Amino acid sequence: MTKNILLATTFIVGVAVASSAFAQDYDLVINGGRVMDPETMFDDIANVGIKDGRIVAISKQPLNGAEAIDATGHVVAPGFIDTHYHAVDIFATKMALRDGVTTGMDLELGSFDVKGWYDQKTETGWQVNYGTVSGMNFARMAIHDSEVNIDYPLDYSIATPLLNEANKDGVAGWSVARSSLDQMNQIMHIMDEDMRQGALGVGVGAAYMARGMTSYELFSAQRVAANYDRLTSVHTRYHLIQDTPTEAPIAFDEIFTNAMLLDAPLLMAHNNDYGWWEIEEKLQLARDKGLNMWSEYYPYAAGSTPVSADFLRPEEWKVKYGYRYEDTLYDPVDDVYLTDETYADLMKTNPGRAMVVFFPYREEWMPYWLTTPHMTIASDAMAGIGDDGELLPWDADWSEYRGHPRTSGTRGATFRMGREQGVPLMFTIAQASYWVAKHLGDTGLKSMQDRGRLQVGKVADITIFDPATITDNSGFKVGQHGIPSTGIPFVVVNGTVVVKDSKVLDVKAGQEIRFPIENKGRFEEIEVNRWLNEHTIGLNPDLATIDVHDESGAGALLHGED
């Protein structure tokens, strides 16, 4: 507490200096709001002056600018940052803006051809700040599914047709095929090139590749990111599973061990299922040891995933877990629950179709997530599709969206639940913005060191909301999926008002969140002979000349072949 008081005092002194130095000529001023900054614990009524996209004054004195917002009765907070953001299309991004998001990054699935992906966003402009990781699932598809031609930037918004194409022969190679050494090197080269081009890290949807991806391939993928001191974000191999020896926390131990040994940052993607308490305890112990590791959650007792997700196949979902599709698997496009027959039909005709999957047992856990330090809010927002399964235009009506309500309501729901349960408002703001920026900034990402704070000198990404009324309004019935959150009348991105009086303006103020491009990649191919020379004492001279194509000996073993 003493430390927080000192920080706040230092902050106020800085405010006074800033306000006297920049007493005029603001592009935008926000007057009369309750300014809250989780890093310094500053919490007071003040006026904010913005110039050239940055906060240049926080003052008790009146401020004038070219544009003004009256924030009386509202909180002026650092803009909300989403690290699990598949909403990489224009309509879903519009929904997220109404939910207070100023930065949306897909750090789980990510992208294929990161350079091309950033180039496209730069060319078209984007309404929120944007960033991506190198997507291991996509890289594996490029190598294991020869029938799929991926020669262009790819992300979640346009992935469904390729998921369908990869499954046409009855085998989704990216999901279930085991990589040879040569294939593994090819996959790592793809991701290393993405890292060279400024990717924020590597994203691994391990739950979708649980049968195909070996433990050594996962270790190698985490090392690709660690070579650049960047994070790996992982949707773990045994996500959802309660039974030993495949308990969900054991899959966390797999990625945790790799990250610890590689001295690398780690983001545990949506830690909102069985074993979350064990994982959070371990993450807290890791942070106490100085490791940069944290997690995410979203406040819903239902998830969303393609119908072809490996864990939804009958032998897993029905036989192992005892669930029925009729009770748990909802198709938001056709507005029906699946049956055995409709599941089988979709697997043949549209395996990329996103389903809503219900997990009622999450209800009792959600209150605890709202009070767990460094457990950050990340929506897992889905693409903005309509009833035909196609992406909606920017000006579509909210009622046309077919998908999980978390895309439109995650922050509204979290702040509402926090208010109802008496969670300190500063704590929820930290979950929504500061802790995300803190951990990403600690990877060396300059653009995140300048965000997630409401301080002089920081980027003016700001969300203004009414703490008494902020709430979600979306639901699981057709017509309700995309109803916007309310109580968030203004959203500012890089100093530009993008949401005004609860209306999203057609303004593209977003900037790229990206590491600098490097001249040379850092991945060294995995070679059997070099591995043996480095990791054994080499008493047998034949070990230095193993034919890696010989399937009878160590060459086959290190290939990962049976």
Side-chain angles (χ1 to χ4, degrees):
M1 177 64 91
T2 303
K3 180 180 178 182
N4 289 337
I5 293 172
L6 289 173
L7 283 170
T9 303
T10 303
F11 182 77
I12 293 169
V13 171
V15 168
V17 173
S19 61
S20 62
F22 299 96
Q24 62 216 347
D25 196 25
Y26 302 110
D27 299 327
L28 172 68
V29 295
I30 303 170
N31 289 321
R34 179 184 173 187
V35 177
M36 299 184 71
D37 177 63
E39 185 170 64
T40 62
M41 300 301 289
F42 180 82
D43 183 357
D44 202 356
I45 304 300
N47 306 312
V48 179
I50 297 165
K51 178 74 174 177
D52 296 329
R54 289 189 177 263
I55 299 168
V56 295
I58 300 175
S59 174
K60 286 284 191 178
Q61 301 302 314
L63 302 177
N64 296 308
E67 186 175 5
I69 294 173
D70 181 3
T72 303
H74 290 70
V75 168
V76 180
F80 303 157
I81 302 169
D82 199 328
T83 52
H84 203 133
Y85 185 83
H86 305 308
V88 281
D89 63 275
I90 56 176
F91 187 78
T93 293
K94 186 179 178 182
M95 286 191 287
L97 273 164
R98 284 293 305 271
D99 203 35
V101 174
T102 58
T103 300
M105 301 170 286
D106 188 346
L107 303 190
E108 183 211 29
L109 183 62
S111 303
F112 181 86
D113 181 7
V114 161
K115 178 185 183 302
W117 188 87
Y118 277 111
D119 287 348
Q120 282 186 347
K121 289 288 185 287
T122 299
E123 182 178 348
T124 62
W126 212 244
Q127 292 207 283
V128 299
N129 303 311
Y130 50 92
T132 191
V133 292
S134 178
M136 186 178 184
N137 299 50
F138 290 142
R140 280 180 55 88
M141 183 183 290
I143 300 305
H144 283 291
D145 294 290
S146 58
E147 69 274 25
V148 178
N149 181 28
I150 311 177
D151 58 359
Y152 52 88
L154 175 63
D155 61 22
Y156 183 81
S157 68
I158 56 174
T160 297
L162 293 182
L163 292 172
N164 295 344
E165 190 70 23
N167 205 54
K168 271 190 175 180
D169 61 358
V171 179
W174 67 271
S175 175
V176 300
R178 187 165 171 163
S179 299
S180 68
L181 182 58
D182 287 342
Q183 289 171 324
M184 192 161 69
N185 279 327
Q186 292 176 60
I187 292 165
M188 301 307 145
H189 270 299
I190 290 171
M191 295 193 295
D192 182 72
E193 173 59 16
D194 285 342
M195 300 298 292
R196 187 183 75 82
Q197 293 290 346
L200 304 182
V202 165
V204 182
Y208 303 96
M209 307 182 294
R211 290 184 293 159
M213 180 186 63
T214 65
S215 60
Y216 197 73
E217 187 173 355
L218 176 54
F219 176 55
S220 300
Q222 289 187 244
R223 181 152 51 192
V224 167
N227 287 341
Y228 295 80
D229 299 318
R230 299 178 198 169
L231 66 81
T232 302
S233 173
V234 187
H235 179 160
T236 53
R237 189 187 299 271
Y238 303 143
H239 187 64
L240 304 176
I241 300 178
Q242 303 183 27
D243 303 323
T244 54
T246 54
E247 279 185 283
I250 292 174
F252 169 78
D253 292 345
E254 176 184 33
I255 61 172
F256 169 78
T257 300
N258 294 341
M260 180 182 65
L261 294 174
L262 293 166
D263 193 22
L266 178 65
L267 171 56
M268 172 68 186
H270 47 56
N271 187 29
N272 50 357
D273 254 294
Y274 175 79
W276 67 268
W277 51 89
E278 177 181 342
I279 293 169
E280 288 302 319
E281 182 178 349
K282 290 175 177 177
L283 286 171
Q284 290 176 7
L285 289 169
R287 289 192 295 272
D288 288 344
K289 295 179 182 298
L291 300 173
N292 187 9
M293 300 182 180
W294 76 106
S295 68
E296 315 164 332
Y297 76 94
Y298 55 82
Y300 292 91
S304 187
T305 193
V307 69
S308 57
D310 200 49
F311 53 81
L312 292 179
R313 55 198 171 93
E315 53 266 43
E316 286 281 321
W317 196 249
K318 296 180 63 183
V319 177
K320 188 171 185 176
Y321 302 139
Y323 297 140
R324 299 192 327 148
Y325 293 137
E326 294 92 333
D327 302 324
T328 58
L329 213 55
Y330 170 69
D331 181 348
V333 175
D334 289 341
D335 193 26
V336 294
Y337 281 83
L338 296 192
T339 64
D340 292 355
E341 292 74 21
T342 55
Y343 170 83
D345 182 62
L346 278 173
M347 284 295 292
K348 293 178 181 177
T349 61
N350 195 358
R353 174 80 68 86
M355 297 290 110
V356 172
V357 188
F358 285 93
F359 308 104
Y361 53 80
R362 286 183 181 175
E363 291 281 358
E364 64 180 276
W365 295 336
M366 280 190 281
Y368 303 114
W369 302 338
L370 274 68
T371 60
T372 304
H374 296 265
M375 200 176 190
T376 59
I377 304 166
S379 65
D380 203 353
M382 305 302 281
I385 61 172
D387 58 9
D388 58 359
E390 300 296 323
L391 295 173
L392 291 165
W394 184 84
D395 57 356
D397 188 79
W398 306 113
S399 64
E400 296 180 56
Y401 171 58
R402 299 289 186 270
H404 198 299
R406 67 192 183 195
T407 302
S408 55
T410 289
R411 265 64 47 172
T414 305
F415 277 84
R416 170 184 56 78
M417 292 168 63
R419 178 175 65 242
E420 293 169 351
Q421 296 173 29
V423 179
L425 187 56
M426 191 72 85
F427 188 92
T428 307
I429 294 172
Q431 285 192 324
S433 57
Y434 171 61
W435 281 324
V436 187
K438 162 68 175 169
H439 287 292
L440 286 172
D442 285 350
T443 71
L445 187 59
K446 182 68 168 63
S447 56
M448 280 292 110
Q449 295 170 2
D450 284 342
R451 290 180 165 84
R453 291 94 165 163
L454 213 304
Q455 301 171 19
V456 170
K458 301 301 183 183
V459 171
D461 287 347
I462 298 171
T463 300
I464 301 172
F465 64 92
D466 184 341
T469 65
I470 182 173
T471 191
D472 56 318
N473 299 292
S474 53
F476 289 100
K477 292 183 179 180
V478 164
Q480 298 179 355
H481 301 167
I483 298 177
S485 295
T486 47
I488 311 174
F490 293 93
V491 176
V492 178
V493 180
N494 294 302
T496 298
V497 178
V498 182
V499 177
K500 182 177 183 179
D501 296 324
S502 298
K503 179 181 179 181
V504 182
L505 306 180
D506 190 4
V507 176
K508 296 176 178 178
Q511 296 179 3
E512 67 177 21
I513 308 298
R514 184 179 188 179
F515 280 97
I517 299 172
E518 300 192 8
N519 293 326
K520 184 180 178 181
R522 303 187 186 185
F523 174 66
E524 292 186 14
E525 287 196 353
I526 304 163
E527 298 176 357
V528 172
N529 295 324
R530 189 177 71 230
W531 190 98
L532 292 169
N533 287 329
E534 289 178 353
H535 298 285
T536 73
I537 61 174
L539 290 180
N540 187 340
D542 292 336
L543 292 180
T545 57
I546 281 178
D547 179 0
V548 296
H549 300 292
D550 175 10
E551 297 186 3
S552 63
L557 177 64
L558 292 178
H559 262 86
E561 296 171 351
D562 296 327

